[in-house]
Amino acid sequence: MTWAVSDDSNASDVAVVGSGPNGLAAAVLFAAAGLSVTVVEAQSEPGGGVRTEELDLGVPLRHDLCSAVHPMAAASPFFRGFGLGERGVEFGFPDVSFAHPLDGAPAGIAYRSLDRTIEELGGSHSSDGRIWRRVMGPLVDAVETVRDIGLSDMRHPPASALTPKGLVAALTMAGRALELGTSVWDRVTDAHRCGAMLTGVGAHANTALPSLAGAGTALMLGSLAHAPGWPLPIGGSQVITDALLADLRARGATVLCDRRIESAAALPPARVYVFDTSVWTLAKVFGDRLAPRYRRALRRFRPGNGVAKVDFALSGPVPWADPRISAAGTVHLCGDRAQMKRAEADTTAGRHNERPMALLSQPTVVDATRIGAGGALPLWTYAHVPNGSTRDMTATMTAQIERFAPGFRDVIIGSRCIPAADLHRHNANYRGGDIAVGHVSLYRMAARPVAKWNPYRTSLPNVYLCSGATPPGPGVHGMSGVHAATRVLRQHFGIHSMPDIGP
């Protein structure tokens, strides 16, 4: 069955449902190829998880609604081709990509400089420094291959991985993932700070640890911490969305907000539909029109752990016990590797840990435009919680920061928590607070959301999925949209070459 209104003179060539970075990336490719495009969005503003809003938590400040730090956007082939810099988007790169405070010990500090990171871990003669170089050195040297593998469709090996250097990098990455993502790590190394730092980066996968999915996340994001770094967009994440929208409007695309699609009858007429939504929205819209086997496969695709977001307005900087953390754009809060493993195990089992894995971003480290009246500062935080959690995590997050920054409570002006159960009100894709749009595992990194050669095409031949529920998975990179769009262009419009998306 084909779902379309092909005889409608007002039908677009392509309708994109959902305006997150993947949906907008797909729409940009379609419009650049000369197709007529309509984007529909349920929220009053487009952008999905890439939005910035002004909150008054005692003082007006601009806070990022979801994503804040963008290593994958800086590395993404789509965004590099799109030319964010030429379109006025400026990235600020902190000297410290991420920091990992520890109880009663110096923090682990990942500088953009690999050599400086190793030096402050004790140098190549220390266990921490030696292992950081062994794990990260080869991947940083071949970061293009690491990036291309991590942002691929998980079906076709990227060209950079087929060179001798690329093959070595791919094999090295696989070997390190097996080491870090299993109990082998704890048996073969006593690198306390290095182990905590790698585990903290792997915890971005928001799943039980150790895991191969977490290890793959750690290796990719860890290598990007040194090349090119973990940047923050000057002005907030909204500037990325604004650049995409400006391009679409210049190419004549239509973007419609406040258009919630809950049934197929509500879809605008189009020849092809591309959904930047969760699989559960897709299943709700088409219901029995989807083939039974495909529907069953979607039912097996389950949501991942949730996050609760806590925004703070501060009267001054966080008073970190280790002052080096003040230069970090991102901070991982939980403790050592054993503490993170316990916290993530509790979350996965549906329990709240009183010291959960948490992420923190200090945007004003590189972005003075975000400083408010009287020097007030925004602070962005997430805590990992069970999916669907209704708990207000403000007190827990405050205590977790105070643990590593005594006196933090004294600089709080105000705060706001969005519990995991409420995140869908800002983005329907975040079911129960799952910002990854589906459970992350080694299997589900490829079989997102189903195990088929073309995971973007649904059982309806002109309906596609392009959200983070498809390869390469979550993150602000636009590549799920690119992979889906290239298939649509080829299969439905006979366009086999990549259109020029540059400014």
Side-chain angles (χ1 to χ4, degrees):
M1 172 191 286
T2 297
W3 183 261
V5 187
S6 57
D7 58 349
D8 191 319
S9 61
N10 295 317
S12 300
D13 290 319
V14 184
V16 177
V17 180
S19 66
N22 286 310
L24 294 180
V28 164
L29 262 69
F30 295 138
L35 304 180
S36 57
V37 181
T38 298
V39 179
V40 292
E41 168 58 46
Q43 297 291 323
S44 59
E45 297 289 338
V50 188
R51 287 183 285 164
T52 306
E53 60 181 355
E54 184 168 294
L55 292 178
D56 191 341
L57 304 176
V59 59
L61 293 168
R62 287 180 63 76
H63 293 262
D64 288 319
L65 186 60
C66 181
S67 62
V69 185
H70 293 276
M72 297 180 82
S76 166
F78 167 75
F79 281 118
R80 287 186 294 112
F82 183 69
L84 285 173
E86 294 87 341
R87 297 173 187 269
V89 176
E90 180 185 356
F91 281 123
F93 286 85
D95 288 337
V96 176
S97 292
F98 68 87
H100 194 114
L102 295 164
D103 296 297
I109 306 292
Y111 294 93
R112 288 183 74 189
S113 165
L114 177 64
D115 290 338
R116 185 177 179 186
T117 301
I118 293 165
E119 178 185 349
E120 294 206 13
L121 283 171
S124 296
H125 297 295
S126 71
S127 178
D128 286 297
R130 183 178 68 254
I131 292 175
W132 192 267
R133 184 178 294 282
R134 177 171 65 84
V135 172
M136 284 298 161
L139 301 183
V140 173
D141 288 342
V143 70
E144 293 84 3
T145 299
V146 174
R147 174 202 66 205
D148 292 346
I149 292 172
L151 295 178
S152 73
D153 64 1
M154 307 297 170
R155 303 296 188 276
H156 303 86
S160 61
L162 300 178
T163 65
K165 180 180 179 180
L167 285 170
V168 170
L171 291 172
T172 300
M173 191 174 182
R176 297 292 177 257
L178 287 171
E179 178 183 357
L180 180 62
T182 66
S183 59
V184 169
W185 178 272
D186 298 311
R187 296 174 184 171
V188 302
T189 179
D190 60 353
H192 183 67
R193 277 195 293 168
C194 175
M197 291 168 68
L198 288 169
T199 305
V201 182
H204 282 252
N206 199 1
T207 189
L209 298 171
S211 71
L212 293 174
T217 300
L219 296 173
M220 180 169 177
L221 290 180
S223 61
L224 294 179
H226 301 299
W230 286 13
L232 293 87
I234 303 301
S237 295
Q238 183 71 45
V239 298
I240 296 175
T241 293
D242 289 346
L244 292 166
L245 292 172
D247 180 82
L248 285 172
R249 288 167 178 147
R251 297 183 190 274
T254 300
V255 180
L256 304 173
C257 292
D258 294 310
R259 292 283 298 271
R260 188 174 301 276
I261 304 297
E262 297 185 332
S263 69
L267 288 167
R271 294 172 62 187
V272 179
Y273 295 91
V274 179
F275 278 66
D276 182 12
T277 70
S278 72
V279 299
W280 306 288
T281 295
L282 181 77
K284 180 179 181 180
V285 168
F286 290 105
D288 291 344
R289 295 182 180 90
L290 297 171
R293 183 177 179 182
Y294 187 76
R295 291 203 311 273
R296 288 193 297 270
L298 294 186
R299 283 196 291 268
R300 292 192 294 271
F301 188 72
R302 59 188 178 88
N305 295 334
V307 302
K309 185 168 188 288
V310 184
D311 295 297
F312 292 96
L314 307 180
S315 61
V318 179
W320 298 107
D322 186 331
R324 298 175 301 162
I325 301 174
S326 298
T330 302
V331 184
H332 300 141
L333 297 167
C334 191
D336 62 22
R337 179 172 166 85
Q339 291 169 323
M340 286 182 278
K341 287 165 64 177
R342 286 195 298 272
E344 297 292 68
D346 281 345
T347 299
T348 302
R351 300 185 297 267
H352 289 86
N353 190 291
E354 291 309 307
R355 289 184 166 183
M357 185 67 214
L359 281 73
L360 177 151
S361 175
Q362 306 177 116
T364 53
V365 167
V366 292
D367 187 0
T369 71
R370 304 280 294 278
I371 300 174
L377 308 175
L379 189 72
W380 174 105
T381 71
Y382 271 160
H384 289 180
V385 295
N387 188 279
S389 167
T390 59
R391 182 176 294 190
D392 186 323
M393 296 296 290
T394 305
T396 300
M397 182 61 77
T398 301
Q400 190 77 311
I401 301 171
E402 180 87 16
R403 172 183 168 193
F404 301 108
F408 172 66
R409 288 183 174 88
D410 297 334
V411 299
I412 298 174
I413 299 171
S415 63
R416 176 194 72 167
C417 177
I418 306 176
D422 291 341
L423 278 183
H424 74 278
R425 302 181 189 279
H426 300 273
N427 189 330
N429 287 4
Y430 299 160
R431 183 177 180 178
D434 170 24
I435 60 173
V437 203
H439 174 66
V440 177
S441 67
L442 179 63
Y443 172 69
R444 284 301 184 192
M445 289 174 78
R448 295 183 72 85
V450 297
K452 55 185 295 190
W453 184 249
N454 185 349
Y456 310 97
R457 190 170 182 171
T458 71
S459 62
L460 295 169
N462 70 327
V463 177
Y464 290 73
L465 188 67
C466 77
S467 68
T470 61
V476 180
H477 45 65
M479 292 306 296
S480 297
V482 170
H483 296 313
T486 53
R487 287 161 170 80
V488 169
L489 289 172
R490 182 172 61 250
Q491 294 167 6
H492 294 273
F493 300 98
I495 299 173
H496 295 269
S497 59
M498 185 81 165
D500 181 5
I501 60 171

